[in-house]
Amino acid sequence: MKIRRYLAAGAVLLTTLSVSCKKFLDINYSPSFPQEVSAELYLSPIIYQIANCYGQDQRIINKFTQAMLGASTDRASYIWEQHSYPGGTSDVGGVMWRMVYFNHGMNLENLLKDAIANKKYEFAAIGYAIKAFDYQVLTDYHGPIILDGAYEDRLQFEYRDQPDVYKRVQAWCDTALYYLSLNSPGDYSAALTKYDYMYNGNMERWRKFVYGIKAMNYARYINKPDFLTNYADSVIKYSTLSFASESDNAVVKFAGSSAETSNVYGADQALLNSSYYNRAGQPILSYLTGGVRGEPDPEPKTSVDPRLSRMLKFRTTDSIYIAAVPDGRSTSNSAVPAVGSFYMFKNKTDFPIMTYSQMQFIKAEVALKMGNKDLAYQAYLNGVRSHMNFVNKYTAVGDENASAAYNPTEITNAEIQAYMESSEVAQSADELTLADIMGQKYIALWGWGGV
């Protein structure tokens, strides 16, 4: 009998607590900490994390590609340049993993849930576009990843290989395109302008971004034996449907009015302030000083490539451009100027995640493999010229932290034409080689597009 009385008393207590908690939550609802968040409010922090997390891991990818290296003798810096790993509890090199499964994670899933349930089709389209991009770059970076069940309460997860992930990325792209084809019953233009830090609600540019993901995805099969029969045409199709000019570029916008609104690669956010990561490597210097189709100048002070003086800093003691080499245990890299407050590494600049020139070089590479030399050559020329405009966009942005020694003007049409007619650029379709395309692609993606 005592047990029954205790059980009855316990049931009453639980009921009372349940009612009390419900009443407490009802009367203590805080509008600044809502229990349910609308898709609009998720969007801007999700877009910010693309730049933040991609930018953090880019510092390590830069070491693998020798785009940027360190000037520190600390083992934690140079061990990455030896393609090794320091161990311990550090998540350096794993920030995009955290982005996909945590920073975006359930936040992105909740954005999609609210957007679909409430017919906010623009937000659903953007959400699926971001999800497709996330998983594309994550599997490109890490190989096998968690594709299903990542947010379930479990202790073990199944890892799926890239072909499975690539197919799912295509499916998410198609879902994004489906929602882009629908008209929301409500008007969300004001919310999109406010919270969309990439395209300010321009849905046609989001469509082009999705096409760009599809082009990247199909291009990943380029070394497969069935590439020409099953994938090549799709790369050409979707790279053509994607960006039409540099104005379509997918970039995360930063106002630079405070540390909180500054580009993640600017001085205020400080991702590149550390000497572990911020010296330009030898490959980019070689490419910009005659090494695309010839021999680079060993002690360059100038170059026929006008991008040299807009992308890299010279040594102030003698105006010679120098670069870092892997394995920073020597002190020689410390003489290389740090990249900060120059080119795209400024507080008020945008952080790029996909560009028109990138799409053109992808098209050129695939067209050349298909044997369509004329198409390849035109895309190659488009890529080189458009990257000059890309560089000018960043050159035009001032920075209060910039040194007076580094204050270049924008590239002129005469400089561009002189370079296009130089021996560093293939002068006909028959001359064009894969090395020409990939050398220019390395220049165009230097510093940000390591994946």
Side-chain angles (χ1 to χ4, degrees):
M1 294 298 293
K2 286 184 178 180
I3 293 175
R4 290 179 180 175
R5 284 198 296 269
Y6 293 153
L7 287 174
V12 171
L13 178 61
L14 286 173
T15 302
T16 303
L17 286 173
S18 176
V19 172
S20 298
C21 288
K22 186 176 186 304
K23 288 180 179 178
F24 177 82
L25 290 175
D26 286 344
I27 64 173
N28 288 279
Y29 173 78
S30 170
S32 63
F33 191 76
Q35 278 70 50
E36 293 184 7
V37 180
S38 64
E40 300 93 308
L41 299 180
Y42 281 113
L43 186 57
S44 55
I46 284 175
I47 290 177
Y48 164 75
Q49 290 296 350
I50 298 175
N52 181 44
C53 299
Y54 191 90
Q56 289 192 55
D57 271 1
Q58 182 67 39
R59 299 176 302 177
I60 299 303
I61 301 171
N62 280 340
K63 289 177 176 285
F64 296 151
T65 64
Q66 297 182 35
M68 281 192 273
L69 299 165
S72 171
T73 58
D74 292 352
R75 182 173 180 270
S77 171
Y78 69 72
I79 196 168
W80 295 99
E81 297 168 18
Q82 299 174 330
H83 290 200
S84 189
Y85 181 73
T89 58
S90 171
D91 66 348
V92 174
V95 186
M96 284 201 295
W97 189 277
R98 187 181 71 200
M99 174 186 78
V100 172
Y101 299 116
F102 179 73
N103 298 109
H104 286 180
M106 283 305 299
N107 295 311
L108 184 53
E109 297 302 311
N110 288 335
L111 180 152
L112 290 169
K113 181 180 177 181
D114 177 72
I116 294 169
N118 293 292
K119 299 182 179 179
K120 303 172 183 178
Y121 298 136
E122 296 91 343
F123 289 93
I126 292 171
Y128 275 108
I130 292 173
K131 189 170 185 177
F133 179 80
D134 277 1
Y135 280 77
Q136 180 69 51
V137 296
L138 190 69
T139 193
D140 286 341
Y141 185 29
H142 285 289
I145 62 173
I146 304 167
L147 186 57
D148 296 303
Y151 312 116
E152 296 176 3
D153 186 13
R154 56 163 82 175
L155 297 178
Q156 293 181 329
F157 299 89
E158 179 184 359
Y159 284 66
R160 304 282 287 275
D161 288 327
Q162 287 182 329
D164 293 334
V165 184
Y166 288 164
K167 290 176 183 177
R168 190 70 62 83
V169 167
Q170 288 290 345
W172 285 328
C173 284
D174 291 338
T175 303
L177 293 172
Y178 166 74
Y179 283 114
L180 280 165
S181 71
L182 301 180
N183 294 317
S184 298
D187 181 5
Y188 297 102
S189 57
L192 286 163
T193 300
K194 181 177 181 180
Y195 296 114
D196 177 6
Y197 289 174
M198 192 176 297
Y199 285 131
N200 295 123
N202 187 322
M203 301 312 296
E204 190 55 37
R205 286 183 172 167
W206 275 107
R207 187 190 308 277
K208 293 178 180 181
F209 175 66
V210 174
Y211 288 142
I213 299 170
K214 290 176 80 72
M216 286 170 53
N217 181 283
Y218 284 124
R220 295 295 191 262
Y221 292 93
I222 196 164
N223 289 322
K224 300 298 182 184
D226 60 344
F227 176 75
L228 290 177
T229 55
N230 291 345
Y231 302 104
D233 286 341
S234 294
V235 178
I236 301 300
K237 172 184 175 180
Y238 288 112
S239 60
T240 302
L241 287 171
S242 67
F243 303 152
S245 70
E246 291 292 329
S247 61
D248 288 331
N249 288 352
V251 298
V252 180
K253 295 179 172 63
F254 291 95
S257 56
S258 65
E260 291 76 17
T261 63
S262 293
N263 175 19
V264 295
Y265 272 175
D268 287 349
Q269 284 281 356
L271 287 189
L272 286 181
N273 285 12
S274 170
S275 61
Y276 280 22
Y277 310 111
N278 62 8
R279 263 62 171 182
Q282 185 62 49
I284 186 63
L285 179 60
S286 295
Y287 275 138
L288 292 174
T289 56
V292 177
R293 308 190 88 231
E295 292 297 322
D297 187 337
E299 292 189 336
K301 289 188 176 183
T302 186
S303 174
V304 68
D305 192 332
R307 293 172 292 187
L308 172 66
S309 60
R310 280 80 173 185
M311 293 174 64
L312 302 183
K313 292 179 177 180
F314 51 80
R315 186 168 55 193
T316 55
T317 55
D318 54 13
S319 300
I320 293 176
Y321 290 89
I322 60 173
V325 294
D327 191 356
R329 282 179 291 181
S330 68
T331 59
S332 59
N333 287 349
S334 61
V336 179
V339 300
S341 301
F342 195 67
Y343 186 37
M344 66 176 63
F345 314 117
K346 305 171 186 175
N347 287 330
K348 296 181 181 180
T349 52
D350 302 333
F351 187 93
I353 64 171
M354 186 190 295
T355 66
Y356 171 72
S357 55
Q358 175 189 4
M359 288 294 111
Q360 290 300 300
F361 290 127
I362 288 174
K363 182 193 287 189
E365 179 186 1
V366 172
L368 189 68
K369 190 176 183 70
M370 295 170 70
N372 192 337
K373 292 184 178 181
D374 289 337
L375 179 61
Y377 186 60
Q378 187 58 57
Y380 159 78
L381 293 179
N382 291 344
V384 177
R385 283 188 176 275
S386 63
H387 186 250
M388 299 284 182
N389 295 328
F390 178 91
V391 172
N392 274 347
K393 170 188 172 181
Y394 288 96
T395 302
V397 178
D399 193 296
E400 64 275 11
N401 297 298
S403 168
Y406 306 110
N407 188 29
T409 58
E410 294 178 46
I411 302 171
T412 66
N413 290 333
E415 288 178 298
I416 295 174
Q417 192 60 33
Y419 180 72
M420 299 302 294
E421 294 174 356
S422 75
S423 60
E424 281 293 89
V425 178
Q427 295 301 307
S428 70
D430 288 335
E431 275 188 37
L432 185 66
T433 67
L434 181 61
D436 292 324
I437 297 168
M438 302 311 285
Q440 293 291 346
K441 185 180 180 184
Y442 188 97
I443 295 171
L445 274 64
W446 177 75
W448 66 268
V451 173

